[in-house]
Amino acid sequence: MISGNKLIIFIGSLFYPIYFLPLAFQYVIRNEKFGYFMISLFMGMLAYTMIPYDTMDIVRHYEKFELFSSISFDELFLEGRLVDYIFNIYAWAIIKVGLSKEFVPLSVTFISYYLYLVTFKIIIDREFSSSSSPHVSHKFIVLLGFFLIINEIRFMDAASGLRNIFSFSIFSYALISYIYTKKYFSLILLSLLAIGIHFSAFIALLIFLVSHFIRISTFSKGIYVVCYFLFVLGATDVIFYFSINKLEPYLREYGLYFPSYFDEDGVWGAGYYLTQNIKSLIFEKYIKTFPLYVAGLYFILFRNFKNQILSRYLFVLFIFITTISVSRTLLDRFNWFFVILFIYFLLIELINGKVSNLKRVFIFIFSFSLITMDLGSIYKYRDIFGRSWGDLLYTPFIFKYDNHIEPYQYIIRNSGEQ
């Protein structure tokens, strides 16, 4: 039964979420689900009221959602690719029951944040209950983990892109649950759901299955080190285009070859960087990947990992990421997925192993990389903040329910402009 304090915080947040957020944070410190629920709800509210740039993915999604209001369920299957159907059905159902199109980003952002944070809670509860002598305090891990996860979950990707982060949040929850329960059925069922939202989850699942047959030996670690330095030096294009050329016939046969991602001049692949100015180029190629560079270094600096399932998966996943790093969109999608899983992995390591001086330095640099990425993101999307959320300081959120985001409100931004 919900307590009086929680009820007050929940109802108060429906009117002034910004002012009630600090009250909810006390439950985060206690590692309670209510705290994570309120944080997630707050982020969903921000997604609901976000006025986007005219170049953002959410603009295209809003156009599709408007179309959903006038088509039947059967006609829905003429829209999108096979791997999009579950997401399309979800969005179509929301529109058909009379909710606004803005409720889709609200619900997707809320669910994504909540799943990532609940997965974090599962790890904390399981590891502290099974560890006879934790090497760090419970409160320290909760605060550190929450800080790292909130900084890594990219709000703009959740509120604008919708499908990819939604899909990976479900898969991440399924993966961590499997690690602790060993229930394959739940993993496969939730993975299929994630794949139906975005096809990237299929690749994530496939890599996980492959990682079961991999051992971190001297030879495999040598391959990892080579891939890491090729990645950092930006010299992985030879590997990528060699692999794509070999796989192209098979990808085309199953309708999985996307020139915009795989071709050298693909607008969402390597060609993306050709259209960007210097500030965008620095942000996309270096600042957004900074946490990935640091996280990948962990498997070079340290060994004897506590969780073998997760360590092997991250090991293979990083090698995969280096091979597709030429494609901007593929790199971006798996970049933050790797880093969020790495945060879970790092917390397990800290709870169960001695925190050496080298690890302390690593944590500081890793935290700094996340903050740097956030600052870059704030600068990139700076025009959105005041226009979208400034009036939440004095206007009750619940009164904004009927204030729909219209095309004339979109913020005009030239492609490639930062």
Side-chain angles (χ1 to χ4, degrees), residues 86-209:
I86 290 181
F87 177 79
N88 284 347
I89 292 170
Y90 173 75
W92 177 86
I94 285 177
I95 301 301
K96 284 299 184 180
V97 299
L99 295 171
S100 67
K101 67 182 188 301
E102 292 82 7
F103 192 82
V104 180
L106 184 156
S107 58
V108 166
T109 302
F110 164 74
I111 295 171
S112 299
Y113 269 83
Y114 188 66
L115 284 176
Y116 280 125
L117 290 171
V118 166
T119 301
F120 162 64
K121 174 178 170 54
I122 290 173
I123 290 172
I124 299 301
D125 291 344
R126 290 280 190 158
E127 292 300 325
F128 272 98
S129 64
S130 63
S131 178
S132 57
S133 56
H135 288 75
V136 290
S137 71
H138 185 273
K139 182 173 289 187
F140 171 77
I141 283 293
V142 169
L143 291 175
L144 175 65
F146 179 77
F147 168 80
L148 295 177
I149 291 168
I150 285 296
N151 277 277
E152 175 55 22
I153 302 175
R154 302 176 189 174
F155 170 78
M156 292 299 175
D157 287 347
S160 177
L162 301 182
R163 295 184 303 116
N164 188 227
I165 195 168
F166 191 17
S167 172
F168 275 155
S169 68
I170 295 171
F171 182 77
S172 298
Y173 175 81
L175 177 65
I176 297 301
S177 296
Y178 165 76
I179 287 175
Y180 288 112
T181 64
K182 300 300 186 294
K183 294 180 179 179
Y184 258 115
F185 180 76
S186 296
L187 172 65
I188 298 302
L189 185 63
L190 289 174
S191 296
L192 291 175
L193 175 63
I195 293 167
I197 294 171
H198 199 284
F199 188 72
S200 295
F202 174 77
I203 301 174
L205 176 62
L206 183 62
I207 294 171
F208 176 68
L209 297 176

Side-chain angles (χ1 to χ4, degrees), residues 31 146 211 224 242 253-254 262 283 322 326 329 340 371 409:
N31 195 35
F146 179 77
S211 71
Y224 182 96
F242 174 81
E253 181 179 353
Y254 293 100
F262 299 147
F283 177 72
T322 64
V326 175
T329 303
I340 200 89
I371 294 172
Q409 296 176 281

Side-chain angles (χ1 to χ4, degrees), residues 40 46 78 83 103 112 160 213 224 285 296 303 396 399 413:
S40 304
L46 294 185
L78 301 176
V83 291
F103 192 82
S112 299
S160 177
F213 303 98
Y224 182 96
K285 290 200 75 170
R303 57 183 180 179
F399 291 173
R413 184 175 216 172

Side-chain angles (χ1 to χ4, degrees), residues 27-39:
Y27 295 96
V28 172
I29 297 174
R30 299 174 193 169
N31 195 35
E32 292 187 21
K33 285 185 178 179
F34 178 75
Y36 300 137
F37 176 90
M38 293 308 303
I39 295 293

Side-chain angles (χ1 to χ4, degrees), residues 17 28 56 92 143 181 213 260 278 351 377 392:
V28 172
M56 293 176 72
W92 177 86
L143 291 175
T181 64
F213 303 98
S260 59
I278 187 64
I351 294 171
S377 184
L392 287 179

